[in-house]
């Protein structure tokens, strides 16, 4: 039930997210007699029941947090059965498909259910997700997950290759999402699935050639407002930077970010608050900078938002289109 | 309800351009330099396409659209080596065109004349011909589709003046809604200065359940919620919208039941001071077009009558549009440039919505009742906050987010998402640093989005030549209970 | 001569850049008896002779600066005969083609000579640029410009359509640059133009389909290390921002950018230094902000680097490849 | 000189990876986990490709490369629905592979065995097969090309640890060179802490003429110029490189001829204090691999013996690599991940260049002569600066750029380009604000570059899945003479 509504405390049957670190989250379903092993020690499920979501839990070798799942947390912690969609693209898809409570959506394929969970959050309780997956085992897993998450009544998982067999839906849905190797093969069938009053479609494709064929096919099928976009998240790290003034700075500095002459002690305390962000590397950095202090008393200090050097360069192209009254 | 009803706000959409109009019989609207009555739209299904033919609405057949598309198909690479200044090669003057229009000649006919009078058209490549045709069609033939407003469409209204909505872009607004975990029945606290766009988008995702509390700086200032009107929300949905002034915040920090009385007293004080301040606002509203028509609805929402004449917004926006940057839009013909300028002017004139001529006005309702209702809702909102019943906190405003964030976090239960949007990076660095320092946020993330559009055409696929340089920055995290709980292991 | 070497003062025959504004620069060749009209008034050429480059010149209605041209300034002020390449791409091309003094380069087509000037700066005085242009008039103009700029001895402009007729060069050049609608048609000819010991090639194409055909052809012709990249310049405006504190800020702010409680007078003086950046809009902005000061004394103030909202979204794809000893 | 000479620094290049080695007979090198002697490379033409076959260099035929390419051509879209964990489907263990290698079995043979022992290979799509083959070939067959070092190739050495060169990327370095208007005969002042990469790139563009003045913080600190060695610059070119300590700056601010004496005195003072400081530096250099071999050359360049053991650099870099960001590289097989880790380790061990085993060492030359020469060049550099003979100023360092910029601008003639590169945005905002305020820069521009690489393959074209999030920021402008000159009009 923890996916349908925000809750205060943990009950048996809830799926919770054990937050061990920024890139280390484990989803667990709370069951009697079960125990979860984490790198900080074991956590007995029963001991979590009745606890408030967001609580810091002491384990034998450290602590973890227990969070109520959101589709965004789920996307970061779910078991991968396929390549998955991430929240930057997912957000755009939900928005561009005009989804809201009550929307009826067709999705192919289900994959690992990353997008499905976000769709379900938005369209429940009056909407329906009709999701199609050609891979039998994945179908079963998805169905099981939706059931565990209390979402079964809002979703129908169908085991079918829509590329060959089509959606077999007759003017029923508000929106169609296609994440398939050959989306263009399903566009005619998608058109037939969309309500007479019109609707929206989205295809996700990693390669531009797929986009080109999809756009052609969309156009042929009288879809309009065809738009292809790309969204890339660029994350920033906050770093406390200290640049040596190799010449005496007689220039008055502007309003921004600079305690010139910042001493070592003062910095140390400021940096402590940052140490959690980057553990080992920063301590090296501190040492290195401290050495420099010997030769230069003056430093220019500031908090800097630095884009992460390694970033996701591409996920896929999102093509959106409208089908008007038809 | 798939047909357009009288009183509906609808979107007129053509290419990348959207405008919102309220449907009233006998009302004339301006759209893309044309003036026409909208009576004939009422009763038509949403999604219908129309053409303005000599000042009159005519239903547009689908086939024409397709035909236009097929014209544009040619291979690139052919060279236009002799083309330098297209404008001077046109024998028809602007006056000639205006005269033809005055004579009631159709757009199609005008384009035919333009082609015949172009010295270079025949020498152009097929691709260039198609491009020329497309441009002229856009200028001389006005075709648009009438659609039900959605956040996506309404957002397009602001695409040329993003400063009005704090530079929000579809990518950032969409993330704000998703990372905020907004869903049916959510209790959401929001601070926004985006004309009501964020408010409306949130309300739609709540589907008629839950509470949407808009935090405003103080009781005396008006807030612009103009965009809320565009969505034709039923009254039951609007009833879920609350307004809570942040300057009455001290009234809810005491936990005793007794303080409720105190709070009410405080609120009364605030309200009386508001009396004198709102007067000029109301006066201004009378020349605000049809906004007073919806004032009754707005009253029940619990707000004061709100106004879009936020001058600081407009000038801020102007500043953002006139940036001395380098990226110049690549319009190669002077004429096209001209059009853009005119469009822009019109846009500023009309504010965000469509300009409307005529339309009857109603007298403002009982002001006392209005004030009482407002106070009641304000109190309810305060209780929701104090009782820690909020499911998410969302900031997208031109105020310094840090004090608001730190104050509101006290009232947010653990394991709840917080999203802070800002058009500047620096304030979010401050927020990030504080959250990190206090250890009160998990999955803390500061990001921006690179949003890029593509032209996908046979043999001519490439990213668009112009793009948006910024859609603002997002800080997202989950609240936690920092006290350690020991459990059995 | 002003393109070949940095000079101190202006002589007759020099090409100088009249800097009227950020996006308003005029290149003029200093000639006896000539006068240049600018929006700030007329400038007699003879009056500039002997003046130092970089001088601020008083005209009747304002002042302009007179700068010595660099290829970068030339790119921003040259007469457009075609779409031109800009300095972000040009820098990348020069770098990736391994150009240096002495390099021999083949370029097709010459276009407006934007890239040519940057190539010539890098390869002169011992290198040679062989540039090809199929448009007769453009050829003549380019030749004339190179002569005026004192660069003739380093460049040969040939009137030829290399797509049909090829470079007709036999293992002579270090690098080839192609900016043509169908670059793939010239790749075999380019290979033959490249020295036996090897060299580099670059093609510039706006559309991905052109890139795909070029890459295929490069591969077929034994070019290796084929890399396709895109460079986009993102410019920042510096804006002095002032955000209202709607709640009393009892939170201690970090090291960076914030004079909380900054008063009106103080800000005014700070903003003055920024006024030149944005003229009319900022004065509006000031007024609007001043009004707010009545209701809120506390503001959070900082200098902010804001990316320009409108930016160049695409110029073209740059494909680079190596041809090794062949 | 198209053949590799003994003593040359050469680049070994394979795919996106480059390493620099100096060619010496009888010397063994480590490259991509292989150890081999380079003797056979001497006398071969640059651009030759070699394979390491059981520890020996073998010339590689072009045809093989082509064949490998053709294997990789298949249509996408076929589904790998049964593939989840590729590693567990391989019957051969890592030990098996190691054993085969020890037995001297070729890489080709090992790959054949791997395919035969893969349970899933036959079930894979043609595309997946090709991908698998490519990956295995990269791992088990070591083919590389020997190239003459260029800034482009040398830069690749740092592609996995950009922190060592202040996050410079090809796009930013290239703009730094172009906007700096560096050309044959330029007099350039530069401050760099990029291991000498910027210095070397500038020197190459100067083509053996002009003066290249490296401004360093002070006489006592050593600066790393390691990359300068890689370019095999002739002595005449290196003679144009000067070093000027910024802490002796006061000596050139007085304009009289007399100050030259003063300056010399000052310099002497500085130099004597340096004596004690440089001692440990020299001591450290003896275990710095083959860097002492080139010390003689470096002396004539006018610098002290320089060292790459800049610890702050390394840790800074480590900090930048271990960022807690979200973008994860998409390696789907654990084995591949493993390899990356190992490569990284090796990289850090070797610093930027290739690790070399053996190689004779020379004794340091006369230290007194060295100091005298240094002093002489320092004085010359001071004169160039004082006489305002600089053509451009380029900063790319980890110091606060503002004081250096404002000091140096006094000595730059008008109409000269200035380029300030910084890996942080904030210091450049300060510089921008000052230049703007003082009105001493035209075409002032603060920018960053979005640099993106594409995979272009039939039916599989898309931007690369991983990219660099930042290549630093650039401030560019032209100096001016702010005094107004009245002229005839």
């Amino acid at each position: 039930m923890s996916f349908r509504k925000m809750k205060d405390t943990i009950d048996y049957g809830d799926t919770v997210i054990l937050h061990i670190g920024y890139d280390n989250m484990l989803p667990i379903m709370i069951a009697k007699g079960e125990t979860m092993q984490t790198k900080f020690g074991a956590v007995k499920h029963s001991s979590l029941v009745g606890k408030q979501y967001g609580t810091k839990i002491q384990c034998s070798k450290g602590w973890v947090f227990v969070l109520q799942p959101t589709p965004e947390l789920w996307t970061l912690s779910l078991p991968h059965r396929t390549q998955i969609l991430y929240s930057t693209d997912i957000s755009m898809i939900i928005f561009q498909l005009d989804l809201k409570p009550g929307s009826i959506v067709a999705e192919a394929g289900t994959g690992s259910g990353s997008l499905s969970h976000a769709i379900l959050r938005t369209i429940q309780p009056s909407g329906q997700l009709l999701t199609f997956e050609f891979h039998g085992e994945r179908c079963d897993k998805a169905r099981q997950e939706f059931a565990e998450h209390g979402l079964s009544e809002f979703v129908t998982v169908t085991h079918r290759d829509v590329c060959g067999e089509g959606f077999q839906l007759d003017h029923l849905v508000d929106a169609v999402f296609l994440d398939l190797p050959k989306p263009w093969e399903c566009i005619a069938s998608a058109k037939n699935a969309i309500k007479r009053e019109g609707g929206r479609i989205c295809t996700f494709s990693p390669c531009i050639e797929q986009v080109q064929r999809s756009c052609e096919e969309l156009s042929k099928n009288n879809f309009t407002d065809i738009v292809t976009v790309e969204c890339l998240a660029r994350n920033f790290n906050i770093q406390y930077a200290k640049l040596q003034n190799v010449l005496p700075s007689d220039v008055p500095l502007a309003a921004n970010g600079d305690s010139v002459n910042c001493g070592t002690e003062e910095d140390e305390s400021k940096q402590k608050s940052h140490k959690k962000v980057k553990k080992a590397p920063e301590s090296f950095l501190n040492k290195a900078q401290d050495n420099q202090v010997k030769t230069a008393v003056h430093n220019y200090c500031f908090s800097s938002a630095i884009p992460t050097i390694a970033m996701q360069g591409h996920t896929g192209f999102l093509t959106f289109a409208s089908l008007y009254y038809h | 309800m798939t047909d357009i009803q009288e009183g509906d706000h609808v979107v007129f959409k053509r290419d990348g351009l959207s405008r919102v109009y309220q449907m009233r019989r006998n009302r004339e609207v301006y759209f893309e330099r044309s003036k026409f009555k909208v009576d004939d739209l009422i009763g038509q299904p949403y999604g219908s396409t129309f053409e303005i033919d000599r000042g009159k609405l005519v239903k547009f057949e689908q086939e024409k659209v397709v035909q236009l598309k097929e014209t544009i198909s040619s291979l690139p690479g052919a060279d236009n080596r002799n083309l330098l200044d297209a404008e001077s090669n046109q024998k028809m003057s602007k006056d000639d065109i205006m005269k033809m229009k005055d004579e009631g000649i159709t757009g199609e006919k005008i384009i035919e004349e333009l082609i015949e009078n172009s010295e270079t058209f025949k020498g152009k490549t097929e691709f260039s011909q198609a491009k020329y045709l497309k441009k002229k069609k856009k200028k001389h033939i006005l075709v648009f589709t009438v659609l039900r407003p959605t956040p996506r469409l309404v957002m397009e209204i602001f695409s040329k003046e993003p400063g009005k909505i704090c530079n929000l872009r579809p990518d950032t607004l969409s993330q704000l809604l998703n990372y905020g975990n907004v869903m049916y029945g959510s209790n959401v606290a929001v601070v926004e200065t985006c004309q009501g766009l964020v408010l409306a988008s949130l309300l739609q995702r709540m589907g008629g359940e839950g509470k949407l509390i808009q935090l405003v700086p103080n009781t005396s200032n008006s807030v612009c919620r103009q965009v809320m009107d565009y969505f034709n929300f039923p009254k039951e949905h609007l009833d879920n919208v609350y307004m809570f002034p942040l300057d009455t915040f001290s009234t809810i920090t005491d936990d005793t039941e007794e303080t409720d009385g105190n709070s009410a007293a405080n609120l009364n004080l605030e309200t009386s001071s508001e009396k004198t301040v709102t007067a000029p606002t109301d006066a201004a509203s009378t020349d605000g077009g049809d906004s007073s028509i919806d004032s009754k609805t707005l009253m029940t929402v619990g707000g004061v009558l709100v106004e879009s004449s936020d001058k600081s917004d407009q000038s801020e926006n102007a500043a953002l549009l006139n940036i001395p940057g380098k990226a110049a839009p690549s319009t190669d013909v002077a004429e096209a440039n001209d059009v853009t300028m005119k469009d822009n002017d019109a846009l500023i004139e009309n504010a965000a919505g469509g300009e409307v001529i005529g339309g009857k006005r109603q007298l403002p309702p009982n002001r006392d009742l209005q004030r009482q209702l407002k106070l009641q809702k304000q109190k309810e909102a305060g209780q929701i906050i104090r009782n820690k019943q909020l499911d998410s906190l969302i900031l997208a405003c031109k105020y310094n987010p840090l004090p608001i964030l730190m104050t509101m976090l006290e009232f947010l239960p653990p394991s709840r998402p917080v999203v802070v949007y800002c058009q500047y990076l620096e304030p979010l660095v401050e927020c990030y640093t504080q959250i990190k320092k206090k250890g009160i946020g998990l999955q803390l993330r500061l990001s921006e989005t690179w949003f890029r559009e593509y032209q996908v055409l046979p043999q001519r696929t490439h990213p668009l030549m112009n793009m948006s340089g910024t859609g603002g920055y997002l800080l997202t995290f989950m609240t936690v209970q920092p006290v350690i709980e020991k459990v059995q292991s």
Side-chain angles (χ1 to χ4, degrees), chain A, chain B:
Chain A
M1 287 296 291
S2 46
F3 272 91
R4 280 174 60 178
K5 209 173 164 22
M6 287 320 263
K7 302 181 64 187
D8 278 334
T9 54
I10 299 166
D11 294 311
Y12 281 113
D14 278 7
T15 295
V16 306
I17 307 284
L18 270 196
H19 187 281
I20 295 150
Y22 191 91
D23 283 325
N24 189 359
M25 289 188 283
L26 296 171
I28 52 174
M29 194 170 79
I30 304 298
K32 279 199 179 124
E34 297 273 325
T35 299
M36 183 74 196
Q37 299 296 335
T38 79
K39 68 169 185 175
F40 292 124
V43 180
K44 249 191 178 172
H45 287 201
S46 60
S47 68
L48 296 178
V49 173
K51 288 272 177 305
Q52 198 177 14
Y53 276 108
T55 301
K56 200 172 183 177
I57 305 287
Q58 182 71 55
C59 300
S60 55
K61 281 170 273 175
W63 27 258
V64 298
F65 283 93
V66 55
L67 295 175
Q68 180 170 350
T70 64
E72 286 64 42
L73 294 174
W74 179 248
T75 286
L76 294 174
S77 60
L78 59 80
H80 283 221
R81 300 184 284 270
T82 53
Q83 280 271 56
I84 65 161
L85 280 162
Y86 287 95
S87 296
T88 312
D89 285 324
I90 289 174
S91 302
M92 196 64 183
I93 292 163
I94 305 268
F95 184 81
Q96 291 280 341
L97 290 182
D98 293 340
L99 301 192
K100 59 183 180 183
S103 298
I104 303 169
V105 185
E107 178 196 36
T110 315
S112 303
S114 177
L115 172 65
S116 319
H117 277 78
I119 292 176
L120 285 165
R121 168 185 53 199
T122 308
I123 64 170
Q124 57 99 20
S126 45
Q128 268 288 326
L129 172 63
L130 309 165
T131 185
F132 296 83
E133 171 61 51
F134 72 166
H135 187 288
E137 208 182 305
R138 272 181 223 153
C139 253
D140 297 338
K141 285 298 282 177
R143 238 181 246 118
Q144 186 194 329
E145 263 171 15
F146 293 135
E148 287 175 7
H149 297 168
L151 300 169
S152 293
E153 54 181 301
F154 315 124
V155 58
T156 313
V157 184
T158 305
H159 180 200
R160 188 194 302 159
D161 185 350
V162 283
C163 263
E165 305 168 54
F167 285 104
Q168 301 172 22
L169 297 171
D170 189 26
H171 301 294
L172 194 72
V173 305
D174 296 293
V176 174
F177 174 77
L178 303 174
D179 178 4
L180 301 165
K182 296 178 185 176
W184 55 88
E185 291 184 354
C186 307
I187 284 166
S189 159
K191 185 185 179 180
N192 199 60
I194 292 173
K195 283 181 183 168
R196 293 229 173 266
E197 59 183 284
R200 296 277 292 168
I201 193 169
C202 172
T203 71
F204 174 89
S205 303
C207 303
I208 196 71
E209 293 86 354
Q210 297 166 292
V211 175
Q212 290 168 319
R213 293 196 63 173
S214 298
C215 285
E216 252 178 76
E217 196 63 23
L218 284 168
S219 195
K220 262 187 219 158
N221 281 278
N222 285 330
F223 282 85
T224 53
D225 301 332
I226 304 169
V227 169
T228 299
V229 302
E230 226 190 332
C231 293
L232 285 181
R234 192 193 199 193
N235 294 325
F236 292 93
N237 287 314
I238 311 301
Q239 195 181 302
Y240 187 72
K242 198 154 120 179
L243 301 188
Q244 191 191 339
N245 282 328
V246 295
L247 279 172
S249 171
D250 57 346
V251 188
L253 283 150
N256 263 29
D258 38 7
S259 23
V260 187
N261 296 340
C262 51
T264 321
E265 304 77 25
E266 189 193 350
D267 297 334
E268 216 61 90
S269 72
K270 271 180 191 163
Q271 289 193 9
K272 253 170 207 148
S273 70
H274 287 269
K275 261 182 194 161
K276 284 166 212 155
V277 198
K278 288 162 256 136
K279 277 149 209 160
E282 184 127 37
S283 68
F284 281 120
L285 187 60
N286 283 349
K287 262 184 220 161
Q289 289 183 333
D290 287 352
N291 289 339
Q292 289 187 357
V293 173
K294 286 169 205 158
T295 51
V297 214
H298 295 68
N299 285 304
Y300 166 46
C301 307
F302 54 97
S303 281
S304 184
I306 305 163
T308 56
I309 299 240
M311 72 173 269
Q312 183 88 285
H314 180 62
T315 55
F317 299 102
L318 291 169
T319 300
F320 297 102
S322 291
L323 186 65
Y324 292 145
Y325 189 84
H326 66 125
Chain B
M1 290 256 292
T2 60
D3 290 348
I4 299 162
Q5 312 285 313
E6 177 158 18
D8 279 6
H9 282 82
V10 305
V11 170
F12 289 0
K13 181 169 168 64
R14 87 180 287 213
D15 275 356
L17 184 109
S18 292
R19 284 284 176 282
V20 174
Y21 297 91
Q22 192 176 24
M23 295 297 97
R24 291 270 174 223
R25 286 191 199 282
N26 237 328
R27 176 179 285 183
E28 276 192 310
V29 299
Y30 272 124
F31 178 60
E32 292 279 87
R33 286 161 297 120
S34 282
K35 193 167 110 177
F36 52 90
K37 287 197 178 178
V38 295
D39 299 48
D40 293 349
L41 297 179
I42 296 167
Q44 294 287 338
Y46 275 107
S48 304
T49 301
F50 295 88
E51 183 182 351
I52 299 302
D53 187 5
R54 282 157 288 180
K56 283 217 165 62
L57 272 168
V58 181
K59 206 153 182 183
F60 194 77
E61 315 90 72
Q62 194 73 31
E63 300 84 61
K64 263 190 182 172
V65 185
V66 181
Q67 211 176 11
L68 188 144
K69 279 243 169 63
E70 279 166 3
T71 324
I72 311 159
S73 68
S74 116
L75 283 170
D79 45 276
N80 295 313
R81 48 185 105 179
N82 302 309
L83 295 176
L84 277 176
D85 188 349
E87 204 53 25
S88 65
N89 300 316
Q90 177 57 254
K91 280 176 283 182
M92 265 169 74
S93 72
K94 276 182 191 170
D95 285 342
D96 293 340
I97 298 166
M98 288 308 288
K99 210 180 140 201
M100 285 173 80
K101 283 200 173 167
D102 288 343
E103 287 167 5
I105 289 162
T106 63
E108 277 90 353
K109 186 69 197 155
I110 291 173
I111 293 169
E112 273 173 34
E113 289 289 323
L114 281 170
I115 290 168
E116 267 178 37
N117 284 286
S118 165
E119 283 182 4
T120 48
F121 187 84
K122 283 172 195 84
K124 284 183 184 188
T125 61
E126 204 183 328
F127 170 54
S128 295
Q129 285 184 348
K131 206 171 159 187
Y132 179 85
L133 257 178
K134 199 183 169 190
K135 196 186 269 171
K136 292 296 166 194
K137 277 190 179 168
K138 194 177 174 188
K139 188 168 179 186
H140 299 291
I141 304 174
L142 180 53
V143 174
F144 64 93
T145 306
V146 186
L147 296 169
R148 203 189 303 274
T150 69
R152 167 180 63 88
L153 290 168
V154 169
M155 200 153 198
E156 273 189 14
I157 296 174
F158 298 98
S159 62
K160 279 193 183 134
E161 37 176 13
K164 284 206 157 185
I165 49 171
C166 300
N167 290 356
L168 266 181
R169 261 188 337 212
D171 51 316
T172 32
L173 176 56
S174 72
Q175 288 178 58
L176 193 138
L177 298 168
N178 268 32
Y179 277 95
N181 197 35
V182 182
M183 57 180 158
Y184 180 82
S186 290
N187 290 343
V188 184
V190 61
V191 188
E192 76 123 280
T193 52
C194 304
Q195 318 276 332
L197 174 64
V198 174
L199 208 62
S201 305
L202 292 168
L203 193 60
Q204 199 188 52
R205 292 265 176 120
M206 288 165 50
E209 266 295 309
K211 313 283 183 193
L212 178 54
I213 301 174
Q214 185 179 17
L215 306 169
V216 296
N218 48 49
T219 17
S220 53
N221 267 19
S222 59
V223 260
C224 176
R225 281 180 171 185
Q226 192 184 0
V227 172
M228 282 285 281
D229 297 349
Y230 302 167
F231 284 81
N232 311 313
F233 283 118
K235 190 187 164 303
E236 316 85 75
H237 287 222
L238 292 170
D239 282 347
N240 297 329
V241 186
Y242 295 76
M243 206 185 263
F244 187 81
L246 287 166
D247 61 352
T248 67
F249 216 94
S250 54
T251 62
I252 62 161
T253 45
D254 288 310
D255 249 354
T256 48
E257 199 47 42
E258 199 194 3
T259 39
D260 267 359
N262 264 342
S263 144
N266 263 345
L267 293 176
N268 271 326
L269 195 72
E270 297 291 343
T271 323
S272 61
S273 79
E274 171 221 0
K275 206 174 195 170
T276 50
V277 182
T278 39
T281 312
D282 274 2
S285 78
T286 49
D287 43 49
D290 63 336
S291 66
S292 59
I293 286 166
D294 298 287
S295 57
K296 212 183 349 188
T297 320
L298 257 180
M299 296 315 143
T300 60
V301 176
V304 279
L305 181 59
V306 291
E307 261 304 290
S308 67
S309 61
D310 192 335
K311 270 179 192 152
S312 72
D313 253 6
Q314 284 208 1
S315 53
E316 225 180 285
N317 172 49
L320 283 161
L321 285 174
N322 288 314
I323 30 178
K326 297 200 58 213
S330 62
T331 35
D332 38 1
V333 186
E335 192 191 0
N337 230 326
D338 211 16
V339 175
T340 316
M341 285 306 293
K342 274 182 204 150
D343 275 350
N344 247 336
D345 284 351
L347 207 72
I348 287 160
E349 222 177 87
N350 298 358
E355 197 181 339
V356 174
I357 309 137
K360 50 182 177 170
R361 289 200 178 133
Q362 296 182 345
L363 286 173
N366 184 305
R367 305 204 76 224
D368 217 49
L369 174 67
Q370 173 195 338
R371 208 174 297 116
Q372 292 244 347
L373 279 169
K374 185 187 154 191
L375 213 65
Q376 181 55 38
K377 294 209 73 173
Q378 203 165 289
K379 199 178 149 188
E380 278 176 46
Q383 272 165 352
I384 292 165
I385 296 170
R386 190 186 50 213
N387 297 340
K388 300 205 176 187
Q389 290 172 323
L390 291 175
D391 293 323
S392 33
L393 172 65
I394 289 165
L395 272 62
C397 59
K398 54 185 181 183
Y399 315 125
N400 181 13
L402 183 62
I404 305 174
L405 178 66
M406 296 318 274
T407 304
M408 286 306 295
L409 278 180
E410 302 275 320
F411 297 95
L412 218 60
S415 201
R416 294 297 186 270
V418 177
V419 185
V420 187
Y421 168 85
C422 190
Q423 67 189 102
Y424 305 101
L425 177 59
E426 293 82 357
L428 297 183
V429 172
E430 298 291 338
C431 294
Y432 184 105
T433 307
Q434 288 301 319
I435 300 299
K436 197 87 204 169
K437 196 171 144 186
K438 301 200 168 175
I440 49 176
L442 283 188
Q443 296 302 110
L444 186 59
R445 176 171 172 252
L446 178 52
S447 65
E448 68 171 326
T449 319
W450 195 254
F451 180 58
R452 212 170 183 197
E453 224 177 290
Y454 284 76
Q455 167 181 304
V456 182
L457 285 173
Q459 300 303 315
R460 301 191 296 284
T461 302
H462 60 73
L464 291 195
M465 294 299 174
N466 295 305
M467 71 180 282
S468 151
T470 176
Y473 304 88
L474 282 169
L475 181 76
T476 57
F477 64 93
M478 300 295 293
T479 58
V480 287
Q481 177 62 267
V483 181
I484 295 187
E485 288 251 1
K486 292 214 176 182
V487 298
Q488 273 184 296
S489 62

